[in-house]
């Protein structure tokens, strides 16, 4: 108990003594009212007046002191006694429980008083009421600063008007970067398309979470390329790391447009078995702020990381860094030999406080640098909902921070958790700038997929800064449209510029891109074209010498330890065209069904009358090898979206 509270208690005792003494003097100076008839209303009125002494302040009647009263006025209290009374009232207002309800006196039956001291009491009540309001205002001011309101401040709160309605659903502060779909381009005007690869899958699983929660996703949450790349299309893998990936192309009809074709480009990275991975130096950067306090966040996060820990080897090490309002090291780099110690550290995590993500990122990179393994895997794994609210919170500043840290040879993987305040934009962009990959974990099964089944792809990079450029032959192709990859677009000149960052590909990863194209017919026109040909366009026959080539596919990549890129060129032959959709491969048809689903969720600007029932029909007959049931689960997602679309 501090000195101020002791002083207030002493003041309260003094005030009670002074009040009792004053009451005794007033009774001696008052006329004898024992023989006066007093009705029940008089008793009620007196009870309400006396309640002023214990801190109750009924509304003032507005009467003024009676200067002509026959009896002398009650002598005023000394200055110090008045201060003591006010202090006692303040203390009682702040710490006393709610006073019992008092009998109500209607204005029309309030008896007229003959007590000579009544006007003075009304002045005292008025002053006490003013003091009370001042105390309440001060308490409210302090309460707003500390987050705690006393009883009196709470009691004085203005009630919510009945016409105001409480929100019927929880506040949604999820953040998604806005983008528009890729436009249709004429080959005679824009023959070259350039973009960075993307191996992220977070958009697909995040949308799956939304559908399971009974809501259709917002358009900006749907990145079609991440839907497509969630699945493994069983492209043949290269035999060695000399060329770290194979390139596969397939050309067939567009399921949603009879007048166009789809060009599928597939990349398969060199596969490395988990036991053959180099030693790993992993730093788990875990968000333990108050926003992570829910079963689908911190608890799921801990259980997910345990799956990875259980597959660590003795030569692997792991450190655990946490952040909330501040950051700290929970576990120094520890060998995978001591799994129980690592798991115990994870089990000890609890959520609370604000979110200083910037400070946590700096500390995690520092720890990764301390345990750096030459020719090994050095990676920070950030697990959070992305709701950074203190410290470095500026989006561009956080991206710049990660971009600077990647130069040290340490990659960043982001794992997203939770809903309501999820920051998808931040998670996706941090992984992009950190030379890593982004996944959203909505279930423990998804954690098993990302951290165990695809551990090699998640941790081991086999090529970095991978760029794709397609030059279309204007003699064969009239128009084209890249499906997805909107936020991965590059300028034509960026392709040969090794200073321009691009995506990384992990061991065993598959990357798929789809182009919808309209071919030139024998008359030099195209039925599938969206745009009219320019009247004054250059009519040269530059493409005629390559009449059998539909396009030239170029890829640039760097080996993980190199700074100069290497080039792969592959012509796409017109002879590859398959005119019957049923004769195309199952991977082609399934990728097309996934692309159609993503486009429909984004509004279906190009899918014409192709509906979710058509998506299900196409996917159902092209599931192929579905060892883990991911493609069957896709069918369930489409079916659920169909039901939600009708509601």
């Amino acid at each position: 108990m501090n000195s101020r509270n002791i002083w207030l208690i002493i003041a309260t005792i003094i005030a009670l003594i002074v009040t009792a003494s004053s009451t005794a003097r007033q009774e001696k100076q008052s006329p004898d009212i024992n023989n006066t008839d007093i009705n029940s209303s008089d008793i009620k009125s007196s009870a309400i007046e006396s309640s002023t002494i214990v801190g109750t302040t009924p509304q003032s009647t507005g009467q003024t002191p009676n200067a002509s009263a026959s009896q002398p006025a009650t002598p005023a209290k000394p200055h110090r006694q008045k201060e003591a009374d006010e202090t006692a009232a303040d203390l009682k207002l702040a710490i006393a429980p709610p006073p019992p309800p008092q009998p109500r006196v209607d204005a029309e039956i309030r008896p007229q008083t003959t007590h000579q001291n009544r006007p003075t009491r009304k002045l005292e009540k008025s002053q006490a009421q003013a003091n009370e309001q001042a105390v309440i205002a001060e308490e409210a001011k302090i309460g707003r600063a500390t987050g705690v309101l006393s009883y009196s401040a709470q009691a004085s709160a203005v009630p919510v008007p009945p016409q105001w309605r409480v929100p019927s659903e929880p506040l949604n502060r999820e953040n998604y970067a806005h983008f528009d779909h890729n436009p249709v381009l004429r080959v005679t005007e824009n023959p070259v398309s350039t973009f960075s690869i993307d191996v992220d899958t977070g958009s697909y699983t995040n949308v799956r979470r939304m559908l399971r929660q009974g809501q259709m996703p917002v358009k900006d949450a749907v990145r079609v390329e991440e839907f497509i790349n969630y699945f493994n299309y069983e492209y043949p893998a290269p035999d060695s790391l000399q060329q770290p990936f194979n390139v596969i192309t397939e050309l067939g009809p567009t399921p949603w447009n009879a007048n166009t074709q789809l060009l599928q480009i597939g990349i398969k990275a060199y596969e490395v078995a988990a036991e053959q991975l180099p030693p790993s130096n992993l730093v788990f950067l875990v968000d333990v702020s108050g926003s992570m306090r829910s079963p689908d966040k911190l608890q799921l996060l801990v259980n997910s990381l345990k799956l990875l820990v259980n597959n660590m080897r003795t030569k692997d090490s792991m450190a655990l860094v946490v952040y909330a309002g501040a950051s700290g090291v929970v576990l120094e780099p520890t060998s995978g030999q001591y799994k129980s110690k690592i798991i115990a550290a994870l089990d000890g995590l609890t959520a609370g406080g604000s979110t200083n993500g910037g400070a946590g990122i700096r500390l995690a990179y520092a720890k990764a640098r301390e345990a750096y393994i030459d020719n090994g895997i050095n990676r920070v794994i950030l697990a959070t909902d992305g709701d950074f609210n203190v410290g470095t919170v500026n989006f561009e500043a956080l991206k710049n921070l990660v971009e600077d840290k990647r130069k040290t040879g340490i990659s960043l993987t982001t794992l997203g958790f939770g809903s309501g305040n999820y920051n998808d934009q931040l998670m996706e962009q941090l992984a992009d700038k950190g030379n890593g990959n982004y996944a959203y974990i909505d279930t423990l099964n998804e954690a098993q997929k990302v951290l165990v089944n695809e551990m090699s792809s998640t941790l081991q990079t086999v090529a970095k800064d991978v760029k794709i450029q397609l030059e279309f032959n204007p003699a064969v192709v009239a128009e084209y449209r890249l499906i997805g990859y909107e936020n991965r677009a590059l300028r034509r000149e960026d392709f040969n510029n090794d200073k321009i960052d691009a995506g990384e590909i992990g061991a065993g990863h598959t990357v798929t891109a789809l182009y919808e194209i309209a071919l030139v017919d024998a008359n030099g026109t195209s039925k599938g074209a969206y745009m009219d040909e320019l009247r004054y366009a250059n009519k040269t026959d530059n493409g005629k010498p390559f009449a059998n080539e539909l396009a030239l596919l170029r890829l640039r990549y760097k080996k993980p330890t190199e700074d100069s890129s290497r080039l792969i060129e592959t012509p796409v032959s017109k002879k590859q065209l398959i005119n019957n959709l049923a004769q195309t491969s199952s991977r082609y048809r399934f990728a097309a069904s996934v692309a159609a689903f993503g486009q429909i969720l984004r509004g279906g600007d190009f899918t014409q009358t192709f509906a979710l029932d058509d998506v299900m029909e196409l996917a159902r007959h092209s599931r192929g090898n579905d060892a883990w049931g991911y493609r069957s689960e896709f069918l369930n997602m489409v079916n659920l979206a169909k039901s939600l679309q009708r509601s």
Side-chain angles (χ1 to χ4, degrees):
M1 183 179 294
N2 57 37
S3 59
R4 183 176 182 274
N5 290 338
I6 295 173
W7 183 86
L8 290 174
I9 293 172
I10 294 173
T12 302
I13 296 172
I14 294 173
L16 293 174
I17 295 173
V18 172
T19 301
S21 176
S22 174
T23 303
R25 286 197 302 272
Q26 291 171 6
E27 289 176 353
K28 289 181 180 180
Q29 294 173 359
S30 300
D32 186 5
I33 60 172
N34 292 333
N35 298 324
T36 304
D37 292 334
I38 302 177
N39 59 27
S40 62
S41 296
D42 290 315
I43 296 173
K44 291 178 182 179
S45 181
S46 298
I48 290 179
E49 289 173 359
S50 65
S51 70
T52 305
I53 299 174
V54 294
T56 352
T57 56
Q59 296 296 322
S60 173
T61 61
Q63 297 178 1
T64 56
N66 184 2
S68 61
S70 59
Q71 295 296 332
T74 303
K77 297 180 181 180
H79 177 66
R80 293 185 180 277
Q81 293 176 359
K82 183 177 180 181
E83 287 183 351
D85 284 348
E86 293 175 353
T87 303
D90 291 352
L91 177 64
K92 289 171 183 173
L93 285 170
I95 66 175
Q102 299 294 335
R104 184 173 180 268
V105 178
D106 295 329
E108 63 271 18
I109 64 171
R110 188 187 297 271
Q112 295 295 321
T113 181
T114 58
H115 300 307
Q116 60 183 2
N117 63 339
R118 192 65 167 272
T120 303
R121 286 189 177 182
K122 289 188 178 295
L123 284 175
E124 290 175 355
K125 286 193 294 181
S126 215
Q127 180 64 40
Q129 188 175 11
N131 291 340
E132 179 186 356
Q133 295 301 322
V135 170
I136 291 174
E138 182 63 23
E139 288 175 347
K141 180 179 179 182
I142 296 172
R144 283 191 296 270
T146 62
V148 180
L149 290 178
S150 68
Y151 165 76
S152 56
Q154 294 178 40
S156 67
V158 179
V160 177
Q163 66 271 22
W164 291 5
R165 296 179 59 190
V166 177
S168 58
E169 57 185 42
L171 181 66
N172 190 325
R173 296 191 294 109
E174 296 189 5
N175 185 23
Y176 301 95
H178 174 71
F179 62 92
D180 297 319
H181 57 69
N182 288 323
V184 176
L185 299 173
R186 282 200 71 84
V187 176
T188 54
E189 301 165 27
N190 298 280
V192 179
S193 172
T194 309
F195 65 97
S196 163
I197 69 158
D198 181 9
V199 296
D200 297 341
T201 60
S203 175
Y204 178 82
T205 48
N206 188 30
V207 169
R208 181 176 66 192
R209 180 262 304 176
M210 295 180 191
L211 293 172
R212 288 176 175 175
Q213 290 178 344
Q215 62 185 41
M216 293 294 285
V218 295
K219 291 182 180 180
D220 289 335
V222 180
R223 292 185 290 275
V224 180
E225 76 276 8
E226 295 187 25
F227 276 48
I228 298 171
N229 287 327
Y230 182 81
F231 300 96
N232 182 355
Y233 296 97
E234 298 184 341
Y235 302 127
D239 297 327
S240 71
L241 275 172
Q242 284 300 112
Q243 181 174 307
F245 43 75
N246 272 345
V247 180
I248 301 95
T249 59
E250 188 170 355
L251 184 63
T254 303
W256 55 85
N257 188 339
N259 295 315
T260 62
Q261 288 74 34
L262 281 183
L263 171 61
Q264 181 182 21
I265 301 171
I267 297 175
K268 177 65 174 181
Y270 179 75
E271 293 181 339
V272 179
E275 59 273 12
Q276 296 177 348
L277 290 173
S280 299
N281 163 35
L282 306 178
V283 178
F284 292 167
L285 175 56
V286 178
D287 181 357
V288 293
S289 65
S291 67
M292 294 290 289
R293 193 186 293 114
S294 69
D296 64 338
K297 293 187 179 182
L298 185 58
Q299 190 56 56
L300 177 59
L301 184 159
V302 169
N303 291 335
S304 300
L305 295 184
K306 286 180 183 178
L307 296 177
L308 178 58
V309 171
N310 287 331
N311 287 275
M312 290 178 63
R313 303 159 301 178
T314 301
K315 61 182 179 180
D316 301 326
S317 75
M318 197 217 78
L320 181 59
V321 175
V322 298
Y323 67 92
S327 57
V329 179
V330 173
L331 183 70
E332 294 288 344
T334 302
S335 168
Q337 178 182 358
Y338 304 103
K339 293 181 176 62
S340 59
K341 182 178 180 180
I342 300 172
I343 290 175
L346 289 170
D347 284 335
L349 300 180
T350 57
S354 53
T355 315
N356 191 344
I361 291 173
R362 292 185 183 90
L363 181 57
Y365 272 103
K367 280 294 156 189
R369 194 63 202 165
E370 287 179 14
Y372 189 86
I373 300 175
D374 291 330
N375 299 318
I377 298 172
N378 298 279
R379 188 175 293 265
V380 172
I381 300 177
L382 170 62
T384 176
D385 58 13
D387 188 19
F388 295 1
N389 51 38
V390 297
T392 304
V393 297
N394 179 270
F395 180 63
E396 293 300 325
L398 286 167
K399 288 202 303 181
N400 292 339
L401 170 63
V402 171
E403 195 169 3
D404 288 339
K405 295 298 183 181
R406 80 179 181 207
K407 298 174 183 176
T408 63
I410 301 169
S411 302
L412 175 70
T413 289
T414 58
L415 302 179
F417 292 85
S419 60
N421 62 338
Y422 185 63
N423 194 339
D424 172 84
Q425 179 184 13
L426 179 65
M427 299 296 286
E428 193 254 350
Q429 290 296 308
L430 286 184
D432 180 30
K433 295 299 181 182
N435 279 0
N437 51 305
Y438 158 52
Y440 178 85
I441 308 296
D442 59 336
T443 65
L444 200 59
N445 283 336
E446 185 62 23
Q448 173 76 18
K449 176 181 184 290
V450 173
L451 299 176
V452 180
N453 299 346
E454 299 175 359
M455 179 190 293
S456 298
S457 303
T458 302
L459 300 181
Q460 176 66 54
T461 299
V462 296
K464 64 180 182 180
D465 292 340
V466 183
K467 306 170 188 177
I468 296 178
Q469 186 174 81
L470 210 61
E471 179 187 353
F472 289 98
N473 184 354
V476 179
V477 181
E479 291 178 350
Y480 67 90
R481 175 177 69 93
L482 175 61
I483 300 174
Y485 294 92
E486 284 86 358
N487 64 356
R488 302 286 179 162
L490 297 174
R491 296 172 298 184
R492 180 176 176 179
E493 60 268 26
D494 292 340
F495 183 74
N496 292 326
N497 188 348
D498 286 345
K499 296 292 185 181
I500 301 300
D501 182 56
E504 281 62 45
I505 186 168
H509 254 146
T510 61
V511 178
T512 301
L514 293 175
Y515 280 91
E516 183 177 3
I517 61 176
L519 299 179
V520 176
D521 59 22
N523 298 321
T525 60
S526 174
K527 292 181 180 180
Y530 281 92
M531 295 180 289
D532 296 327
E533 185 177 358
L534 295 178
R535 179 181 178 86
Y536 303 107
N538 187 0
K539 300 290 185 178
T540 59
D541 295 331
N542 291 337
K544 289 289 179 69
F546 305 97
N548 291 325
E549 288 186 11
L550 183 132
L552 177 63
L553 174 62
R554 299 184 180 97
L555 286 95
R556 280 202 176 273
Y557 71 96
K558 300 173 187 172
K559 289 197 172 182
T561 58
E562 296 178 354
D563 295 324
S564 298
S565 65
R566 304 186 182 202
L567 176 65
I568 299 175
E569 291 185 330
T570 303
V572 180
S573 174
K574 184 179 177 180
K575 295 179 180 180
Q576 290 182 236
L577 178 61
I578 301 172
N579 292 314
N580 189 340
L581 181 62
Q583 294 177 355
T584 58
S585 66
S586 60
R587 64 186 176 216
Y588 175 95
R589 284 177 277 126
F590 190 81
S593 69
V594 177
F597 180 53
Q599 291 178 92
I600 290 172
L601 292 180
R602 284 192 55 82
D605 290 349
F606 296 101
T607 52
Q608 301 186 12
T609 60
F610 203 75
L612 293 179
D613 281 328
D614 300 312
V615 172
M616 291 182 63
E617 183 68 16
L618 182 61
R620 185 179 291 114
H621 295 93
S622 58
R623 276 182 288 184
N625 182 18
D626 189 23
W628 302 105
Y630 300 141
R631 297 190 179 192
S632 297
E633 184 183 61
F634 171 76
L635 283 169
N636 293 332
M637 279 180 62
V638 179
N639 191 40
L640 185 56
K642 185 177 70 170
S643 297
L644 293 173
Q645 198 177 55
R646 292 171 179 169
S647 61

